[in-house]
Amino acid sequence: MDPKKISHPAIVELDGAYWFQEKSEESFPGQRFCLEVDEILHHSHSEFQDILIFKSKTFGNVLVLNGIIQCTEKDEFAYQELITHTAIMSHEKPSNVLVIGGGDCGVVRELVKHLDRGVDTITMVEIDDMVIKLLAQYLPHMAKFHDHPRVNIVIDDGFKFLRENKSKFDVIITDSSDPEGPAEEFFRTSYFELLSNALSPNGVVIMQSSENVWLNIDKLKELVSLSRHVFENVKYCQCYMPSYTSGQLGLIVATHNTSLNLTQPLRTFAADEEKKLFQYYSASVHQAAFVLPRWAADINEVDT
Amino acid sequence: MDPKKISHPAIVELDGAYWFQEKSEESFPGQRFCLEVDEILHHSHSEFQDILIFKSKTFGNVLVLNGIIQCTEKDEFAYQELITHTAIMSHEKPSNVLVIGGGDCGVVRELVKHLDRGVDTITMVEIDDMVIKLLAQYLPHMAKFHDHPRVNIVIDDGFKFLRENKSKFDVIITDSSDPEGPAEEFFRTSYFELLSNALSPNGVVIMQSSENVWLNIDKLKELVSLSRHVFENVKYCQCYMPSYTSGQLGLIVATHNTSLNLTQPLRTFAADEEKKLFQYYSASVHQAAFVLPRWAADINEVDT
């Protein structure tokens, strides 16, 4: 390891090795998660954010935006699968799917599994072209379908796209980074209203919440409550994986369709097909993801 | 904060503050979890292990044995409740309960909730008296029943106790520390056989696995397999909480009773009583804890 190659404000030397430290005084004071760094593969400031990609000792290559881990090769599939398939399998016929954000192309990779199995068109709107290019280079398994002929990638601001958009989508997946940085607007009512306008009548939206039940439950409840001002049927589920803060990250699923039980998949695959298609998701994982610890369970215990 | 008070090999100064680093080259190389330290409350080597207790900035007081976080005031209830109630609610009449280890007295606190609701006697066998005394002083909410009149605390080696023991128990909870240190023997077949001998015919045992599906799944599968050499019915469940490595910790539940479905509680409380009794556990959490990600699900998909 060449120490000259290791220079980044979040990387420190400890016990003779280099460690990336994930820290945020605002979002998770008093706790840090650290990954040992073998080599910095890329560091730049794009027009929109600070982008760091490093080779870790035990988590494969890691993408960090504005100091926060977005994905590691070891465990990225957990989040990518849960956010994608929970929404897709909750819709009877998710013909047209829109992804807002998702520049790592992990959601797109998962969506391709559903082409001609319910999904007909995939559109992804990512603001930062640089993220897509870098992922294709450094986390190629995630971004393997960044140039898939049936995936329409639009480089644009998600807000602008939704405002100008005339099409309706059956599923919209918001795969944004955290509210600090360019994604701040994705955590407001005005965004939920744009989503609502772009949705077909029985459409389903899913978004990462940037929270979990342990971090800041009041903020999480506020976000769920904001969603309920716009959507009649809102549920919250969690993904459990080591590289996210507290080992878990929450997702908000919402629809205007009040007869839909979002906590159970509407469609399922046969067991052997499920094994072939998924590493993290299954019909059982779908249901279990909505089961919250007793003290937080009231988030989902509402009349919808 | 007086820096003179902050001196321990696992505590380093970073960005002008003091941080405890949980690290293990053997068990989880390349990753560390850090908690900001306000004050070291206690540090000593007992006859059996290195004991550190510190006041953290955001996780309350923290107990560390041999460098590994055992419990924090913020989230200890999750593990204590899951290991206790999963076993107790899987038994029709868990009259006599034995805890091996459990010196923090968290399991005992949870067991007291079941006195005269199924449980009649509680025996705890802890090797290290010092842990009990320190917890009563520094994490008093956990250890609040260390002197409960109906809890029989025996200071002894768990192995010796089981070898010499003539009583039978309906539920045995092994709440040990990790295999490095005095708890190494708890992860071997000879221990499972001692448990089996001390169990009443339909008895249930539960033990922490020191693993989760992300850390070292081969080692985890080996441990489950060892358990299956002794017990006919074995299942594996996970607890999700921020202060354990990867944000999750696995538990192995086992019984000779092949007609028992361990993944569902045999007994349940009414919803309002469940709310009063538990912060983490519920009948739904019990079931969801056994649902593993698709790639790890074969641990529980066996004919028993």
Side-chain angles (χ1 to χ4, degrees):
Chain A
M1 179 172 52
D2 178 1
K4 282 180 223 142
K5 286 194 179 166
I6 309 274
S7 168
H8 185 276
I11 297 176
V12 293
E13 195 178 346
L14 291 167
D15 306 325
Y18 291 90
W19 290 82
F20 166 78
Q21 297 183 86
E22 187 183 60
K23 51 188 173 180
S24 168
E25 268 307 302
E26 194 189 330
S27 300
F28 43 92
Q31 67 185 98
R32 291 184 181 184
F33 180 64
C34 307
L35 288 175
E36 192 174 340
V37 180
D38 266 355
E39 190 186 351
I40 291 185
L41 300 170
H42 174 90
H43 180 218
S44 67
H45 296 271
S46 76
E47 191 183 340
F48 306 100
Q49 51 208 337
D50 183 275
I51 305 176
L52 168 69
I53 301 175
F54 66 88
K55 184 182 170 210
S56 71
K57 190 175 170 185
T58 52
F59 277 66
N61 291 350
V62 180
L63 170 70
V64 177
L65 296 180
N66 298 319
I68 303 296
I69 295 169
Q70 302 299 308
C71 37
T72 85
E73 286 183 319
K74 179 186 166 96
D75 66 353
E76 54 84 6
F77 64 89
Y79 168 80
Q80 310 300 331
E81 290 191 16
L82 196 71
I83 195 169
T84 305
H85 309 307
T86 301
I88 294 293
M89 301 305 273
S90 292
H91 197 288
E92 200 167 2
K93 181 72 184 74
S95 305
N96 301 302
V97 182
L98 174 66
V99 185
I100 300 287
D104 54 43
C105 298
V107 168
V108 158
R109 179 192 65 201
E110 296 306 314
L111 284 172
V112 166
K113 295 178 182 172
H114 297 277
L115 277 175
D116 303 327
R117 278 176 152 143
V119 171
D120 299 314
T121 77
I122 302 170
T123 305
M124 175 179 124
V125 182
E126 165 63 47
I127 200 167
D128 197 345
D129 195 21
M130 174 102 90
V131 173
I132 302 173
K133 286 177 184 155
L134 287 168
L135 269 279
Q137 184 175 356
Y138 293 114
L139 285 90
H141 177 66
M142 277 196 86
K144 69 179 184 179
F145 292 139
H146 76 281
D147 55 0
H148 192 284
R150 290 184 59 190
V151 176
N152 174 29
I153 296 188
V154 180
I155 305 302
D156 202 352
D157 174 43
F159 265 77
K160 187 166 156 277
F161 179 90
L162 285 172
R163 267 190 222 104
E164 294 168 1
N165 157 66
K166 302 270 181 272
S167 316
K168 299 289 178 189
F169 297 93
D170 305 302
V171 169
I172 307 178
I173 299 171
T174 303
D175 179 26
S176 71
S177 47
D178 295 313
E180 298 85 27
E184 191 185 351
E185 297 286 325
F186 291 132
F187 297 82
R188 300 202 177 146
T189 311
S190 52
Y191 180 66
F192 303 144
E193 280 163 359
L194 284 174
L195 289 176
S196 172
N197 289 338
L199 218 50
S200 63
N202 284 327
V204 174
V205 301
I206 192 164
M207 60 180 291
Q208 77 102 339
S209 72
S210 177
E211 289 290 339
N212 65 57
V213 297
W214 295 98
L215 269 186
N216 188 338
I217 197 161
D218 292 335
K219 209 169 145 194
L220 172 60
K221 284 185 174 178
E222 196 187 311
L223 191 63
V224 173
S225 169
L226 283 183
S227 318
R228 289 199 172 116
H229 288 160
V230 177
F231 295 99
E232 293 80 3
N233 185 358
V234 176
K235 295 285 178 188
Y236 171 82
C237 66
Q238 293 202 143
C239 182
Y240 303 102
M241 53 195 289
S243 75
Y244 285 153
T245 312
S246 318
Q248 49 193 257
L249 181 63
L251 304 168
I252 293 171
V253 201
T255 178
H256 291 298
N257 181 353
T258 51
S259 65
L260 188 63
N261 180 359
L262 291 164
T263 68
Q264 304 218 346
L266 193 64
R267 295 178 299 121
T268 53
F269 288 106
D272 58 335
E273 202 163 14
E274 201 175 64
K275 273 190 196 187
K276 268 184 248 165
L277 285 169
F278 309 128
Q279 280 186 273
Y280 185 84
Y281 181 87
S282 67
S284 308
V285 164
H286 183 130
Q287 293 173 67
F290 289 90
V291 176
L292 304 178
R294 183 54 262 159
W295 101 92
D298 60 346
I299 295 174
N300 280 338
E301 285 164 1
V302 287
D303 297 324
T304 49
Chain B
M1 179 173 52
D2 178 1
K4 283 180 221 145
K5 286 193 179 167
I6 309 273
S7 168
H8 185 277
I11 297 177
V12 293
E13 196 178 346
L14 291 166
D15 306 326
Y18 290 90
W19 290 82
F20 167 79
Q21 296 184 87
E22 188 183 58
K23 52 186 172 183
S24 168
E25 267 307 302
E26 194 189 331
S27 300
F28 44 92
Q31 67 184 97
R32 292 184 180 183
F33 181 64
C34 308
L35 288 176
E36 191 174 341
V37 179
D38 266 355
E39 188 186 353
I40 291 186
L41 301 171
H42 174 90
H43 180 219
S44 67
H45 297 271
S46 77
E47 190 183 341
F48 306 99
Q49 51 208 339
D50 183 274
I51 306 175
L52 168 69
I53 301 174
F54 66 87
K55 184 182 171 211
S56 71
K57 190 175 168 185
T58 52
F59 277 66
N61 291 350
V62 180
L63 170 70
V64 177
L65 297 179
N66 298 318
I68 304 296
I69 295 170
Q70 302 298 309
C71 37
T72 84
E73 286 183 319
K74 180 188 167 92
D75 66 354
E76 54 84 7
F77 66 88
Y79 168 81
Q80 309 301 333
E81 289 190 16
L82 197 71
I83 196 171
T84 305
H85 308 308
T86 301
I88 294 292
M89 300 305 273
S90 292
H91 198 289
E92 201 167 2
K93 180 71 183 77
S95 304
N96 300 302
V97 182
L98 174 65
V99 186
I100 301 286
D104 56 42
C105 299
V107 168
V108 158
R109 179 192 64 201
E110 295 307 314
L111 283 171
V112 165
K113 295 177 182 172
H114 296 277
L115 277 174
D116 304 327
R117 279 177 152 142
V119 171
D120 299 315
T121 76
I122 302 170
T123 305
M124 174 178 124
V125 182
E126 164 64 46
I127 200 167
D128 198 344
D129 194 22
M130 175 102 88
V131 173
I132 303 173
K133 285 177 184 155
L134 288 168
L135 269 280
Q137 185 175 356
Y138 293 114
L139 285 90
H141 177 66
M142 278 196 85
K144 68 179 185 179
F145 292 140
H146 75 281
D147 55 0
H148 192 283
R150 289 185 59 190
V151 176
N152 174 26
I153 296 189
V154 181
I155 304 303
D156 201 352
D157 173 43
F159 266 77
K160 186 165 156 278
F161 179 89
L162 285 172
R163 267 191 221 104
E164 296 169 1
N165 158 63
K166 300 271 180 273
S167 315
K168 299 290 178 190
F169 296 94
D170 304 301
V171 168
I172 307 179
I173 299 171
T174 303
D175 179 26
S176 71
S177 47
D178 294 314
E180 299 86 27
E184 192 185 349
E185 298 285 327
F186 291 132
F187 297 81
R188 300 203 177 144
T189 311
S190 52
Y191 180 65
F192 303 146
E193 280 162 357
L194 284 175
L195 290 177
S196 172
N197 289 338
L199 216 51
S200 63
N202 283 326
V204 174
V205 300
I206 192 163
M207 61 179 291
Q208 76 102 340
S209 73
S210 178
E211 289 290 339
N212 66 57
V213 297
W214 295 98
L215 268 186
N216 187 338
I217 196 160
D218 294 334
K219 208 168 147 195
L220 172 60
K221 284 184 174 179
E222 196 188 311
L223 191 63
V224 173
S225 170
L226 283 182
S227 318
R228 290 199 171 115
H229 288 161
V230 178
F231 294 99
E232 293 80 3
N233 185 357
V234 177
K235 295 286 177 188
Y236 171 82
C237 66
Q238 292 202 142
C239 182
Y240 302 102
M241 53 194 290
S243 74
Y244 285 153
T245 312
S246 316
Q248 48 193 257
L249 182 63
L251 305 168
I252 293 172
V253 201
T255 178
H256 291 299
N257 182 354
T258 52
S259 65
L260 188 63
N261 180 0
L262 291 164
T263 68
Q264 303 218 344
L266 194 65
R267 296 179 298 121
T268 53
F269 288 106
D272 57 336
E273 202 163 13
E274 203 175 64
K275 273 191 194 185
K276 269 185 247 163
L277 285 170
F278 308 129
Q279 279 186 275
Y280 185 85
Y281 181 87
S282 67
S284 309
V285 164
H286 183 130
Q287 293 173 67
F290 290 90
V291 177
L292 305 178
R294 182 55 261 159
W295 101 94
D298 60 345
I299 295 174
N300 280 338
E301 283 164 0
V302 288
D303 297 325
T304 50

